[in-house]
Amino acid sequence: MHIKSLRLFFGLPLPHRQAAAIDVWRNGLALDGRLVARHNLHLTLAFLGSQPVERLGELQRLAGQVRGQGFELRLDRLEVSRHGLVSLGTSQPPEALLQLAGELNDTLRAAGYSLEERAFWPHLTLARQCRKHPAPGSPPDFAWTAERFVLFHSTSDEQGTVYHPLFHWPLAMPHL
Ligand code: ATP
Ligand code: MG
């Protein structure tokens, strides 16, 4: 019997304005790798991989148990990994971001999901498989307020990869 499965991950979406600004700034880096499409720029909180569609209800319930706080995210660092991954990172990860990712991962693990064992690394991937170092330019300084997190369904075909937002959960905004 064929069981339908979906490639899923929890992440923070990027407001369109910031995605557009990052895209423009990224052009100045003259990256030679595979660029992440502008509409796909995001920050992964927990990667689930392929899951039976029947799990969606449980995932909704589990994510609803996570009580996250909103936070301002400042991306002020260009990071280049050994494997040609170029990403934006933050010199000061907000406590609320680390708590959100930690709680989400703990909650999912406790429910039996096997997740990435490595420590959470907050980053926004700009491009993969880069060989050349990015061209020197203005240092990044992007910021926005994270007000919700999202369960995304990732699909890929010849047209490329698309992340479909399935459900979202608000983060508490104590200052508003
Ligand atoms: P593509 O694989 O088509 O190039 P993508 O990597 O953006 O595109 P996915 O592979 O579906 O799309 O990944 C979705 C998100 O989850 C991305 O942020 C990706 O970096 C992250 N991710 C993918 N695989 C893993 C993994 N094994 N562990 C942790 N995070 C992962
Ligand atoms: Mg991938």
Side-chain angles (χ1 to χ4, degrees):
M1 192 180 72
H2 179 70
I3 300 175
K4 189 161 168 19
S5 62
L6 309 175
R7 188 173 175 87
L8 300 175
F9 69 97
F10 286 98
L12 297 177
L14 205 60
H16 293 295
R17 259 169 63 93
Q18 276 76 10
I22 288 172
D23 186 35
V24 168
W25 172 82
R26 177 174 62 173
N27 289 337
L29 301 175
L31 298 171
D32 64 339
R34 207 155 55 85
L35 299 187
V36 173
R38 182 183 64 176
H39 58 268
N40 279 352
L41 294 171
H42 71 282
L43 193 141
T44 301
L45 295 168
F47 180 75
L48 291 157
S50 185
Q51 299 290 339
V53 70
E54 288 78 9
R55 294 255 168 87
L56 282 177
E58 182 189 46
L59 288 168
Q60 259 186 289
R61 183 175 60 74
L62 293 170
Q65 291 171 9
V66 174
R67 295 272 165 253
Q69 302 283 319
F71 51 89
E72 155 133 315
L73 186 57
R74 165 155 263 128
L75 297 176
D76 56 2
R77 234 164 52 170
L78 177 62
E79 301 177 339
V80 181
S81 88
R82 279 174 303 151
H83 315 290
L85 187 89
V86 175
S87 58
L88 280 174
T90 178
S91 58
Q92 286 173 314
E95 194 51 41
L97 167 61
L98 301 179
Q99 275 192 13
L100 173 62
E103 229 190 277
L104 198 50
N105 279 273
D106 288 350
T107 302
L108 294 166
R109 273 202 197 92
Y113 290 86
S114 54
L115 304 171
E116 174 80 68
E117 292 294 339
R118 282 178 294 179
F120 174 60
W121 167 42
H123 70 287
L124 187 147
T125 302
L126 295 170
R128 299 189 174 91
Q129 296 156 19
C130 296
R131 295 200 189 140
K132 284 191 326 192
H133 210 79
S138 56
D141 191 11
F142 301 100
W144 72 92
T145 305
E147 296 175 335
R148 66 206 162 93
F149 70 98
V150 175
L151 178 62
F152 288 103
H153 172 209
S154 171
T155 61
S156 289
D157 62 20
E158 318 80 55
Q159 312 285 318
T161 299
V162 180
Y163 308 138
H164 310 268
L166 298 181
F167 308 106
H168 61 92
W169 293 267
L171 298 169
M173 303 301 291
H175 312 298
L176 297 182

